[in-house]
Amino acid sequence: MSEPAPTEATRADVWLWRARFFKTRTLAADFIEEGRIRLTRAGHENRVDKPARSLKVGDALVFALGGKLIAVKIESLGERRGPPKEARTLYSTLPAS
């Protein structure tokens, strides 16, 4: 089995923007800096505290946005900010805990 390459990660603000949770990377970065996103990776839960924090496929994110609790699992990192249909392929929803 080979380990995933280090390039198989993306910045948190970029992924949130590509997945269309925020209209701009700046809005995503500001949201992250407020400490409002929880990241679960390999059973360990942490706050995403910096926009440059790496996200990988398989990570789970939980955050409140627009009065809704959003819980998603990252399925793909994406190459660009595409249309909404493409953005929905970047994640799957999880039951909010």
Side-chain angles (χ1 to χ4, degrees), residues 17-61:
W17 173 70
R18 286 179 182 162
R20 294 187 159 265
F21 288 109
F22 295 93
K23 285 188 174 192
T24 66
R25 278 183 59 191
T26 302
L27 289 173
D30 292 345
F31 190 83
I32 291 166
E33 287 176 344
E34 291 173 6
R36 297 172 58 185
I37 298 180
R38 289 190 326 235
L39 163 69
T40 304
R41 179 183 294 157
H44 300 286
E45 187 176 297
N46 297 302
R47 289 221 181 268
V48 178
D49 54 353
K50 296 179 183 175
R53 182 72 62 214
S54 293
L55 297 181
K56 300 177 181 180
V57 172
D59 288 352
L61 301 176

Side-chain angles (χ1 to χ4, degrees), residues 11 13 18 22 28-29 35-36 39 48 66 68 79 86 89:
R11 291 173 55 109
D13 61 337
R18 286 179 182 162
F22 295 93
R36 297 172 58 185
L39 163 69
V48 178
K68 295 181 185 175
E79 296 289 320
E86 182 180 317
T89 66

Side-chain angles (χ1 to χ4, degrees), residues 15 17-20 81-91:
W15 188 86
W17 173 70
R18 286 179 182 162
R20 294 187 159 265
R81 179 179 165 95
K85 185 175 181 180
E86 182 180 317
R88 283 190 294 272
T89 66
L90 300 182
Y91 60 90

